Amino acid sequence: MTGQSRPAPRPNIGLIPPYVAGRPPTVRPGMTSYKLSSNENPYPPLPGVVEAVQEAVAQMNRYPDMGSAALYAALAETCRVPVEDLSVATGSVALIYQLVQAFCEPGDEVVFAWRSFEAYPIAVTAAAATAVRVPVLPDGRHDLPAMAAAITDRTRVVLVCTPNNPTGPAVSQTELDEFLAAVPPHVLVVVDEAYLEFVRMADPVDGLATYRRHQNVVLTRTFSKAYGLAGFRVGYAVAPAPLAAALRAVSLPFGVSSVAQAAAIASLERREELLERVDALVAERTRVATGLRERGWDVPQAQGNFVWFELGERTADFAAASEELGIMVRPFAGEGARVSIGETEANDRLLRLAEGFVR
Ligand SMILES: *Cc1c(COP(=O)(O)O)cnc(C)c1O
């Protein structure tokens, strides 16, 4: 041993790209600022959800129900799937980590579109697996034939993000079926449905019908977006029982807190009311996308709660100009900016910005 020896993390740890969180709004005197940088739900929690959480708060000296039994039962009923086909986790980001951990040896390949959700390369690199990025098409859609062609002997997992964060388009059921027919049955296909509730398109993906037809399909879903519980960290996977069991096996014991379980259950009970809010956000998304196109912006099809501006070198200027107007967007340096659909006033400001901004 040399005298200079000290504990060293595995070499892949130094290669993990940082997660860049959406910035909170800059406080400006006399001006309300809005955060459109993290695809959050702008609506405050529903009253009954807050009360359920308050009840759980009074029990904070106790560990949560480790099996999240009531939450599993509520999800099984809502999705009409067996409990054995479910795995709950601290957000669907955690599920991506668990999937890679459970299915990849170091050096195994995980294929995903790029640009897509920034947590993917982080989770893949953290597990010492190899990220294989397949560029999205010029209109922001997944290039599924190219993703199928990128599968090698080392590929264990393919991540399909639909709608794609940050570009916006969703894949159709026909496209997904063609893709699944081209993927070998031992390769896991993860359909990340974080924005499922916002999809309004012809031939939308029916995730549950798809997982029922395939032994290698995992759906990941979240309470963070449509259900407005981003601060509580709850997501779940739907998968054939052996795959769901593997995800549960590598989950963090007691990961989903008691308040998070209570909030998720209360939200499922108020699903109809929450989905009405989603309808209102979708109407705002249509208003924004139409307004942008009227102003000459060729934005990609927006199927989530956000729109994508391809800006190249003008991205930083766009972010600075939006900050001036009291809206925070999520810039991806040199590529573009993702802007969440938020409060009506915030969306109005985005349209005003788009009107005046010189590309
Ligand atoms: C927001 C988002 C998630 C959800 O993350 P949580 O960990 O559940 O908050 C998952 N996938 C994509 C593509 C997302 O944009």
Side-chain angles (χ1 to χ4, degrees):
M1 293 299 288
T2 66
Q4 290 300 305
S5 178
R6 60 182 167 131
R10 293 188 297 165
N12 57 297
I13 301 306
L15 303 174
I16 299 173
Y19 192 103
V20 183
R23 282 174 55 202
T26 322
V27 179
R28 289 174 181 280
M31 188 197 230
T32 309
S33 295
Y34 297 95
K35 186 179 175 205
L36 303 180
S37 52
S38 296
N39 292 350
E40 292 155 345
N41 194 314
Y43 288 95
L46 287 171
V49 177
V50 172
E51 276 142 31
V53 166
Q54 277 162 347
E55 232 172 87
V57 163
Q59 298 286 314
M60 68 166 76
N61 54 313
R62 303 290 176 193
Y63 278 103
D65 171 19
M66 183 162 140
S68 301
L71 177 54
Y72 273 95
L75 283 169
E77 193 184 315
T78 306
C79 301
R80 297 187 206 319
V81 298
V83 169
E84 298 72 36
D85 291 10
L86 291 166
S87 177
V88 304
T90 55
S92 51
V93 165
L95 288 163
I96 306 297
Y97 274 75
Q98 288 166 230
L99 280 159
V100 182
Q101 193 189 349
F103 291 93
C104 293
E105 300 282 357
D108 281 347
E109 292 171 358
V110 180
V111 174
F112 50 87
W114 202 249
R115 180 168 280 279
S116 186
F117 188 32
E118 67 179 315
Y120 297 160
I122 297 174
V124 170
T125 311
T130 300
V132 178
R133 296 171 174 82
V134 177
V136 295
L137 295 165
D139 60 4
R141 288 161 53 236
H142 276 41
D143 188 347
L144 290 173
M147 289 173 70
I151 293 172
T152 71
D153 291 347
R154 293 308 303 266
T155 307
R156 302 300 307 274
V157 179
V158 183
L159 302 166
V160 177
C161 186
T162 180
N164 187 46
N165 174 8
T167 58
V171 310
S172 69
Q173 184 69 53
T174 306
E175 289 174 313
L176 185 62
D177 287 341
E178 282 169 10
F179 176 70
L180 286 167
V183 175
H186 66 273
V187 173
L188 194 68
V189 177
V190 181
V191 185
D192 183 339
E193 298 195 290
Y195 303 97
L196 155 78
E197 296 85 353
F198 298 92
V199 174
R200 304 286 184 278
M201 66 188 280
D203 192 23
V205 164
D206 183 339
L208 291 169
T210 307
Y211 114 96
R212 288 193 178 98
R213 288 197 295 266
H214 296 272
Q215 290 304 307
N216 61 335
V217 169
V218 175
L219 315 174
T220 60
R221 296 175 168 189
T222 180
F223 284 91
S224 297
K225 309 285 163 50
Y227 286 84
L229 299 181
F232 273 172
R233 320 300 308 121
V234 203
Y236 63 99
V238 186
L243 307 186
L247 287 176
R248 291 195 303 271
V250 296
S251 68
L252 202 64
F254 303 109
V256 183
S257 72
S258 19
V259 283
Q261 292 182 34
I265 293 163
S267 299
L268 287 172
E269 285 164 4
R270 289 159 185 79
R271 197 174 135 81
E272 295 307 320
E273 215 174 322
L274 288 164
L275 292 180
E276 280 169 26
R277 291 174 161 192
V278 170
D279 283 338
L281 289 168
V282 168
E284 275 295 280
R285 176 184 78 195
T286 304
R287 182 174 76 87
V288 168
T290 307
L292 292 172
R293 290 187 187 113
E294 283 166 5
R295 289 162 178 79
W297 289 85
D298 182 23
V299 291
Q301 187 197 51
Q303 290 292 326
N305 63 344
F306 54 90
V307 282
W308 172 249
F309 294 80
E310 196 178 317
L311 296 155
E313 296 310 316
R314 294 285 284 147
T315 302
D317 293 331
F318 184 85
S322 60
E323 202 173 336
E324 283 299 311
L325 279 177
I327 52 177
M328 295 306 294
V329 304
R330 170 67 170 91
F332 295 83
E335 291 178 56
R338 187 194 66 202
V339 188
S340 311
I341 300 298
E343 297 80 353
T344 306
E345 166 62 17
N347 304 334
D348 286 344
R349 286 191 203 172
L350 174 63
L351 288 173
R352 228 178 301 145
L353 169 68
E355 176 98 44
F357 187 79
V358 183
R359 270 163 280 179

